[in-house]
Amino acid sequence: MIPASGSYQLANARLHRSLTPGLATSYDADGFALADISVAGGKISSIAARGKSNAPADAIDLAGRIVLPCFVDCHTHIDKGHIWPRKPNPDGTFMGALNATGADRTARWSAEDVARRMDFSLRSAYAHGTKAVRTHLDSVPPQEEISWPVFEAMREKWRGRIDLQAACLLGIEGVRDKAWFERLAKRVAAAKGVLGVVTYMVPDLEELLDQVFGRAIKHGLDLDFHADETDDVAAISLKKIAEASLWNGFEGNILVGHCCSLARQPDLEVLDTLDKVAKARLAVVSLPMCNLYLQDRRNNHTTPRWRGVTLLHEMRARGIKVAVASDNTRDPFYAYGDLDMLEVYRMATRILHLDHPVGDWPKAVAATPAEVMRLDGDGVLTAGGSADFIVFKGRSWTELLSRPESDRIVVREGRAIERQLPDYAELDELMVG
């Protein structure tokens, strides 16, 4: 039992090397070590290897259960979340998702509708142990005038529980209207957001990317791209983004999501792209559940033949920052999900082979996205840091990743929260009419 307040010590916690910088001890083959965690005043006052601390008699013995820092989910779409019951994807394809979402947005996305669905999503993420979320906001006219004020209000409502960031989302062709895109960039900057677009191989892609980078530099914004969410080997906008960053001398953070086509391209093309991505210091996030669901979906009589994920192993080998994230939740792009980053990491481990060895892959759901999102101190467990962590039943990776861990204990500022997931019935009235 975690006390509601005061000081306490957790004894025999199993901590991972990649998420506990500064803990000097020996680790097992899976990267774990037993340690004692002292908590006081909502912060971690100390972390010491087992046997190197004097655990008091009333210490809470975790008996080797895994403790991880709270999760950071750097690519979501909570403005779209939970519209599936009223607007499902008719055929499971990417175009089916795009068209269904566009129709629903035009017909139904009022401020109240977006706010209620966003709040539902954040309550789910919070209960599962997520501390920070970046959401993309559809920002095609007139939706940007509706969703950005909702985001700002939601960020204030959730301050202290979830650090909420937003990136605008529009197709790269929208940048052609320079005056409108300048107004959008100003709107994003005023909301302390991130500038984002979806790239594809349009004839004027390089010119449009220059416009995007120019606006980001002018307004001091980081960048977040959707790129190459397709199996088309000719889709090389990830490389074009890296080239644009280099020739513009961009110094902010850049996160690029999806990059699915890279896994389909010839080796020489892949190597050239990865070298440029590393040189430009881009970070890449893979969305394994959504892309496994959408990519290579042909018809009801054909089995998918590739996984839809990008080359995270090859990227990490070049020192590229890589992460995995939730992406869509119960909308036409992905009919499932609950913003549970343990589920994301469990599925990513199986789909992307983030094991044998595990290495530092756990950083992909915590420390790395926190760094990309400029959240100093998040995603790790350190002395002096906030006591934000999750206590699981599992004592090894095979135990942790084999069950949903629905009885996990989420601790925020040293206190165990009430993990009450919202009832889907709350959204019923939004699904009719």
Side-chain angles (χ1 to χ4, degrees):
M1 297 294 294
I2 305 295
S5 62
S7 303
Y8 58 89
Q9 187 172 76
L10 303 177
N12 284 313
R14 197 174 299 274
L15 307 182
H16 197 261
R17 180 203 308 264
S18 66
L19 301 176
T20 51
L23 178 60
T25 187
S26 58
Y27 294 85
D28 64 20
D30 280 339
F32 285 119
L34 291 177
D36 299 334
I37 305 172
S38 296
V39 174
K43 294 186 177 296
I44 297 174
S45 54
S46 68
I47 302 177
R50 188 65 179 151
K52 296 184 180 180
S53 67
N54 297 316
D58 61 350
I60 303 166
D61 188 359
L62 295 185
R65 292 177 175 84
I66 292 171
V67 176
L68 299 179
C70 285
F71 299 119
V72 178
D73 201 345
C74 65
H75 183 124
T76 70
H77 294 266
I78 62 174
D79 62 339
K80 294 182 175 73
H82 304 286
I83 66 172
W84 179 274
R86 72 189 189 202
K87 201 65 175 177
N89 188 325
D91 56 10
T93 65
F94 183 88
M95 287 308 301
L98 201 65
N99 293 334
T101 300
D104 191 74
R105 180 179 61 239
T106 300
R108 305 291 292 270
W109 289 22
S110 66
E112 180 185 1
D113 177 74
V114 173
R116 288 183 60 181
R117 292 185 291 99
M118 287 180 70
D119 187 68
F120 188 97
S121 296
L122 291 170
R123 287 155 61 198
S124 300
Y126 181 71
H128 289 308
T130 290
K131 183 179 180 181
V133 170
R134 177 181 289 180
T135 182
H136 297 269
L137 296 178
D138 281 20
S139 297
V140 295
Q143 193 62 46
E144 79 277 21
E145 300 297 335
I146 299 171
S147 293
W148 278 91
V150 170
F151 156 73
E152 290 174 297
M154 201 61 59
R155 180 176 57 192
E156 290 306 310
K157 178 180 179 179
W158 279 87
R159 191 175 298 278
R161 292 177 292 167
I162 288 182
D163 292 321
L164 185 59
Q165 294 184 0
C168 61
L169 185 68
L170 65 147
I172 189 72
E173 69 277 4
V175 180
R176 292 177 184 141
D177 187 339
K178 295 180 181 180
W180 175 82
F181 188 60
E182 169 66 10
R183 290 195 299 272
L184 178 63
K186 287 181 178 178
R187 181 72 184 84
V188 171
K192 297 180 174 57
V194 177
L195 196 63
V197 297
V198 183
T199 58
Y200 11 77
M201 302 308 295
V202 293
D204 54 345
L205 176 60
E206 292 182 352
E207 177 186 346
L208 296 175
L209 285 172
D210 270 348
Q211 292 290 328
V212 174
F213 276 90
R215 292 296 182 275
I217 292 170
K218 177 181 178 180
H219 296 288
L221 299 171
D222 286 340
L223 287 165
D224 194 317
F225 292 93
H226 283 58
D228 305 327
E229 194 175 359
T230 174
D231 62 357
D232 182 1
V233 296
I236 57 168
S237 63
L238 172 62
K239 180 164 70 173
K240 294 297 183 182
I241 292 167
E243 291 172 347
S245 177
L246 292 169
W247 71 55
N248 279 281
F250 188 71
E251 296 182 354
N253 285 357
I254 304 174
L255 181 62
V256 187
H258 299 290
C259 311
C260 307
S261 64
L262 190 68
R264 308 275 288 175
Q265 293 166 357
D267 288 346
L268 288 179
E269 182 70 34
V270 168
L271 294 173
D272 184 45
T273 297
L274 293 183
D275 287 345
K276 290 176 178 175
V277 168
K279 186 176 181 181
R281 297 179 294 106
L282 271 56
V284 174
V285 57
S286 182
L287 299 313
M289 298 194 303
C290 184
N291 284 138
L292 190 73
Y293 174 81
L294 278 180
Q295 296 300 311
D296 206 25
R297 188 183 288 268
R298 309 176 194 186
N299 55 58
N300 291 334
H301 309 293
T302 304
T303 303
R305 300 178 187 181
W306 73 301
R307 300 185 182 207
V309 290
T310 197
L311 304 182
L312 287 196
H313 289 269
E314 292 82 352
M315 291 176 180
R316 189 182 66 160
R318 280 171 172 73
I320 298 168
K321 297 174 185 176
V322 293
V324 292
S326 291
D327 204 11
N328 299 73
T329 304
R330 297 185 68 244
D331 67 28
F333 287 89
Y334 185 58
Y336 314 106
D338 199 34
L339 292 174
D340 180 1
M341 286 296 284
L342 179 64
E343 180 193 17
V344 173
Y345 185 68
R346 180 170 62 241
M347 293 299 294
T349 297
R350 299 169 183 177
I351 296 166
L352 284 152
H353 291 172
L354 306 185
D355 53 9
H356 310 300
V358 171
D360 63 357
W361 283 114
K363 292 173 65 176
V365 293
T368 299
E371 183 178 355
V372 172
M373 292 171 62
R374 301 183 183 272
L375 300 173
D376 294 339
D378 285 357
V380 292
L381 299 175
T382 57
S386 184
D388 299 325
F389 51 82
I390 312 167
V391 180
F392 297 98
K393 284 285 186 69
R395 300 162 299 172
S396 63
W397 288 122
T398 185
E399 289 184 2
L400 180 66
L401 301 182
S402 295
R403 289 180 174 172
E405 291 273 355
S406 56
D407 54 354
R408 72 192 77 168
I409 300 171
V410 177
V411 176
R412 298 298 305 274
E413 295 185 339
R415 300 182 180 184
I417 68 169
E418 183 179 352
R419 294 189 57 245
Q420 185 65 44
L421 286 167
D423 191 328
Y424 291 127
E426 294 180 25
L427 301 176
D428 284 354
E429 65 182 287
L430 299 180
M431 302 302 143
V432 298

